[in-house]
Amino acid sequence: MESNANPYRDRFLSIDQVQRGFEAAGYVCGRAIATTLYVGCHLNKPILVEGPAGVGKTELANVMAAYLGVPLIRLQCYEGLDESKALYEWKYGKQLLYTQILRDRMNDLVKGVDGLEAAMDRLHQYDDVFFSINFLEPRPLLKALQEKGGAVLLIDEVDKSDPEFEAFLLEILSDFQVSIPEIGTLKAASTPFVFLTSNNTREMSEALKRRCLHLYIPFPDPKIERAIVRMKVPAVPELLRSQLVSFIHQVRNLDLKKAPSVSETIDWARVLLLLHAEVLTPDLVQETLNVFLKFEQDVEVVTARIPELTLKSTREFPV
């Protein structure tokens, strides 16, 4: 791995091109998101994506991989994640096998050497043979750096990892390289397009933030969410689409344990389509609340307001 040229720039000639490309790939990309992606490409900067769960942070990386025509390499973060799971492991079994196969050759190497210490000194000259790139088992971070045609690297839910692991990421995020004690520094064959996502379960360090562009994705406004539903579930009637999005936005303003995500809005649209619904009714909402509410206490809160919320949605978008 010798160079880290950016292979993506012809897909980032303008912000408008990015918006059109993402829409063609199935992602409604607002101007702020497209601008951040455009800048991230030209500055070779990782993008730290924050926002509520279910607003499309992971999907952004998926669509980026499809847009660029490169593999998506995902590292799911969790407490206790370390280098051996994220970067590389030595292939100890292969090392042992080769040691057995080459046993006769090793006997030849120490032939005629007097004493254990002298024999060990002779063998130490060949240590590097068994600690070379051929005996490395690459994990997601190293795989992303080894992709010659480029890759999208998704470091998902980085806020779930330990602060020590976050510090370990700094070399990759700033220089797109890793240091392996037995081998040296390995640079990216092509600079990967890097996304880190966070649900804000803990604050990220200043050092990590300095190395990244920050992108906050909030819940979309009704106009954008209607466009998302239209793209993902095109068979839903326009009137029903407008009413259900209006209802979801009212629900998000309530005091709930978990507000409905965009993916749950899409699921609800699919369910209403399956039930051959044309417009929203209180009974229909009551029967399908569990599609977008995941806690019983939230169901109880919304159930008490169904007539009021449904009426407001249907008045906003009447038949």
Side-chain angles (χ1 to χ4, degrees):
M1 294 188 292
E2 296 179 349
S3 70
N4 58 354
N6 187 326
Y8 320 120
R9 297 198 174 183
D10 63 336
R11 307 305 305 272
F12 289 86
L13 299 178
S14 70
I15 296 171
D16 289 339
Q17 181 194 25
V18 176
Q19 281 189 286
R20 290 193 301 271
F22 268 62
E23 185 168 346
Y27 190 95
V28 178
C29 184
R31 186 79 181 176
I33 295 176
T35 300
T36 303
L37 299 177
Y38 176 84
V39 173
C41 174
H42 287 277
L43 296 185
N44 281 347
K45 282 272 193 179
I47 299 175
L48 174 60
V49 189
E50 296 185 306
V55 295
K57 301 189 292 296
T58 302
E59 182 64 11
L60 185 63
N62 284 324
V63 174
M64 176 63 83
Y67 178 58
L68 297 179
V70 297
L72 172 72
I73 298 177
R74 178 175 179 171
L75 174 64
Q76 177 64 51
C77 295
Y78 53 87
E79 188 177 350
L81 177 63
D82 60 17
E83 291 182 37
S84 65
K85 297 293 186 297
L87 183 59
Y88 73 92
E89 280 188 298
W90 289 109
K91 297 177 180 177
Y92 294 115
K94 184 176 179 181
Q95 288 173 323
L96 181 60
L97 175 63
Y98 275 55
T99 302
Q100 296 296 321
I101 292 173
L102 298 173
R103 183 167 46 191
D104 293 341
R105 180 61 179 155
M106 293 172 70
N107 288 335
D108 292 341
L109 291 175
V110 297
K111 191 174 182 179
V113 176
D114 291 332
L116 179 61
E117 186 174 347
M120 291 299 294
D121 288 342
R122 177 69 62 85
L123 290 176
H124 282 320
Q125 297 176 25
Y126 301 93
D127 279 351
D128 293 345
V129 171
F130 295 104
F131 289 94
S132 65
I133 194 77
N134 295 323
F135 292 93
L136 275 184
E137 181 66 51
R139 299 304 185 192
L141 297 179
L142 186 55
K143 283 181 180 177
L145 297 182
Q146 289 177 323
E147 285 287 344
K148 294 180 179 177
V152 172
L153 172 61
L154 170 61
I155 303 174
D156 211 6
E157 299 183 323
V158 66
D159 51 322
K160 290 184 176 177
S161 66
D162 301 316
E164 293 78 10
F165 182 77
E166 186 185 326
F168 159 74
L169 290 174
L170 297 182
E171 182 183 16
I172 293 176
L173 298 180
S174 59
D175 299 322
F176 299 103
Q177 66 179 35
V178 293
S179 298
I180 298 177
E182 298 86 350
I183 295 178
T185 300
L186 300 180
K187 291 183 176 293
S190 288
T191 305
F193 206 118
V194 182
F195 291 95
L196 303 93
T197 69
S198 168
N199 290 325
N200 295 315
T201 58
R202 70 174 176 84
E203 187 74 14
M204 295 292 98
S205 71
E206 290 297 324
L208 185 137
K209 287 183 175 179
R210 278 199 307 275
R211 286 163 172 79
C212 302
L213 297 177
H214 182 257
L215 174 63
Y216 183 82
I217 302 180
F219 285 120
D221 63 36
K223 181 180 178 182
I224 290 181
E225 193 154 4
R226 287 196 294 271
I228 293 171
V229 175
R230 184 188 304 116
M231 178 177 289
K232 298 295 184 182
V233 198
V236 169
E238 181 179 351
L239 180 61
L240 179 61
R241 179 171 60 242
S242 299
Q243 291 177 347
L244 75 89
V245 169
S246 171
F247 190 94
I248 288 289
H249 276 254
Q250 293 182 74
V251 169
R252 286 185 186 141
N253 290 328
L254 301 178
D255 184 18
L256 300 179
K257 190 171 182 179
K258 180 190 172 300
S261 67
V262 176
S263 60
E264 287 160 343
T265 303
I266 295 169
D267 287 344
W268 196 30
R270 287 175 175 147
V271 169
L272 296 180
L273 180 65
L274 183 67
L275 297 176
H276 307 291
E278 295 290 336
V279 296
L280 218 54
T281 66
D283 289 342
L284 188 61
V285 172
Q286 181 68 65
E287 293 165 0
T288 56
L289 273 183
N290 62 332
V291 177
F292 59 87
L293 295 177
K294 307 302 180 184
F295 293 92
E296 187 57 30
Q297 66 188 70
D298 290 346
V299 172
E300 292 174 1
V301 170
V302 175
T303 295
R305 306 283 297 274
I306 284 178
E308 169 197 348
L309 301 181
T310 307
L311 180 61
K312 187 173 180 180
S313 296
T314 53
R315 281 181 174 173
E316 185 180 1
F317 297 97
V319 177

